[in-house]
Amino acid sequence: AQKVTQAQTEISVVEKEDVTLVCVYETRDTTYYLFWYKQPPSGELVFLIRRNSFDEQNEISGRYSWNFQKSTSSFNFTITASQVVDSAVYFCALTLYNQGGKLIFGQGTELSVKP
Amino acid sequence: NAGVTQTPKFQVLKTGQSMTLQCAQDMNHEYMSWYRQDPGMGLRLIHYSVGAGITDQGEVPNGYNVSRSTTEDFPLRLLSAAPSQTSVYFCASSPDLVDEQFFGPGTRLTVL
């Protein structure tokens, strides 16, 4: 069975600190896709990134970066120089190629960035 | 484009009542799905559809019904509401089965 674990339920940092959100996944399939979504206090879900299982390159987008390591089944998300606007719940999710579309979400990590 | 729209935004039901949560998308996406979000549990898939006339069950389908008569609409029906169905419901659509899913704004449902 597939599973996504976000062991950090809540994280609190002070503005400008770097923070890493940890995502660990379980699957026996070789073809799968990993996602990160952001849910700000307003409640909508915002797509951040998609990564397939054959692409282990790290990705950087502004202050956001993602580290995908198949050896540890992890897909971690780092925010550099955090800002108050980064305060949100962040979800990691997994879908398998042969079960396309069925997103399996982690429990979410609530990030609070204080000024 | 309006994207994915959901109605209503809020709803209060009594136990045993039925209702339909509406979901529509104007992006011509084939794939649509319904999730529920409960505290500490992330989002869980209720039902999904890979195209008009095709639906299938997700992780937590009991107590819910869906149909997909058009590409645009994917309503979720609660047959006989129970307090355990108190949740926030999100509809999503995607152009491809493994692509980014676009989520609606959600419906907050309370069952008394």
Side-chain angles (χ1 to χ4, degrees):
Chain A
Q2 289 68 238
K3 188 178 179 182
V4 176
T5 302
Q6 295 178 256
Q8 304 156 305
T9 306
E10 297 177 9
I11 300 176
S12 183
V13 300
V14 176
E15 211 170 15
K16 297 184 183 177
E17 281 187 38
D18 299 347
V19 58
T20 295
L21 309 183
V22 176
C23 172
V24 175
Y25 63 92
E26 296 175 29
T27 179
R28 292 182 180 179
D29 281 52
T30 57
T31 305
Y32 52 88
Y33 295 78
L34 294 163
F35 301 79
W36 277 95
Y37 283 87
K38 174 183 180 179
Q39 187 176 43
S42 51
E44 74 272 23
L45 284 149
V46 179
F47 166 80
L48 295 177
I49 191 171
R50 182 189 76 157
R51 175 67 72 208
N52 73 55
S53 54
F54 299 106
D55 182 4
E56 282 194 79
Q57 281 192 351
N58 291 337
E59 174 125 358
I60 299 174
S61 177
R63 296 183 297 106
Y64 295 173
S65 62
W66 291 269
N67 179 253
F68 175 31
Q69 289 194 338
K70 290 174 72 171
S71 60
T72 56
S73 297
S74 64
F75 186 41
N76 296 341
F77 173 32
T78 297
I79 302 174
T80 303
S82 60
Q83 299 177 0
V84 172
V85 293
D86 296 326
S87 296
V89 180
Y90 291 87
F91 291 99
C92 180
L94 164 74
T95 191
L96 306 181
Y97 180 75
N98 63 2
Q99 293 184 21
K102 297 172 71 172
L103 272 178
I104 300 161
F105 282 84
Q107 305 92 318
T109 297
E110 183 172 3
L111 174 65
S112 176
V113 182
K114 303 192 184 307
Chain B
N1 282 356
V4 180
T5 58
Q6 292 182 238
T7 56
K9 289 189 176 181
F10 302 93
Q11 183 70 49
V12 179
L13 292 177
K14 295 181 179 179
T15 297
Q17 287 185 316
S18 63
M19 80 158 295
T20 299
L21 306 185
Q22 301 292 344
C23 174
Q25 53 93 7
D26 61 359
M27 297 174 281
N28 202 31
H29 289 169
E30 289 295 325
Y31 182 85
M32 296 185 74
S33 54
W34 276 102
Y35 295 86
R36 59 177 288 173
Q37 182 179 14
D38 302 294
M41 301 189 74
L43 282 81
R44 292 180 292 168
L45 182 65
I46 305 171
H47 285 287
Y48 66 102
S49 169
V50 298
I54 307 169
T55 64
D56 205 346
Q57 296 182 350
E59 182 185 352
V60 288
N62 293 342
Y64 307 95
N65 230 345
V66 292
S67 60
R68 184 100 178 266
S69 56
T70 67
T71 299
E72 295 77 22
D73 300 298
F74 191 41
L76 177 72
R77 298 181 188 83
L78 278 70
L79 309 172
S80 177
S84 60
Q85 293 179 305
T86 293
S87 188
V88 180
Y89 291 85
F90 287 96
C91 178
S93 75
S94 174
D96 185 80
L97 294 182
V98 294
D99 219 332
E100 165 197 355
Q101 292 196 22
F102 295 80
F103 285 84
T107 294
R108 185 174 293 275
L109 175 68
T110 301
V111 183
L112 303 175

